[in-house]
Amino acid sequence: MKVWQNLKRLVRGESGISSVEYALLLAFLGAAVAVAAGLLGAAVGKKITDTATQVNKW
């Protein structure tokens, strides 16, 4: 419940940002980076595999 209250307080525009808001922001950014890295990693891995397959056909 405190998380929701802190988010509401942040949206209302109170002066300053507390460590809780910073922690939430970092958590959301970290999750986004992890998802992006996972998606990009899978795409790059597929490209490398496809390239290796084509090279092996020669």
Side-chain angles (χ1 to χ4, degrees), residues 35-47:
V35 168
L39 293 174
L40 285 174
V44 170
K46 183 176 179 344
K47 291 290 185 185

Side-chain angles (χ1 to χ4, degrees), residues 1-54:
M1 198 64 179
K2 284 187 175 185
V3 172
W4 183 249
Q5 291 169 346
N6 286 327
L7 283 173
K8 287 194 316 189
R9 186 171 38 126
L10 179 64
V11 170
R12 280 196 305 249
E14 291 186 8
S15 64
I17 183 168
S18 72
S19 59
V20 173
E21 283 96 7
Y22 280 120
L24 285 171
L25 180 61
L26 288 174
F28 288 131
L29 288 175
V33 167
V35 168
L39 293 174
L40 285 174
V44 170
K46 183 176 179 344
K47 291 290 185 185
I48 290 172
T49 302
D50 293 345
T51 302
T53 302
Q54 292 299 319

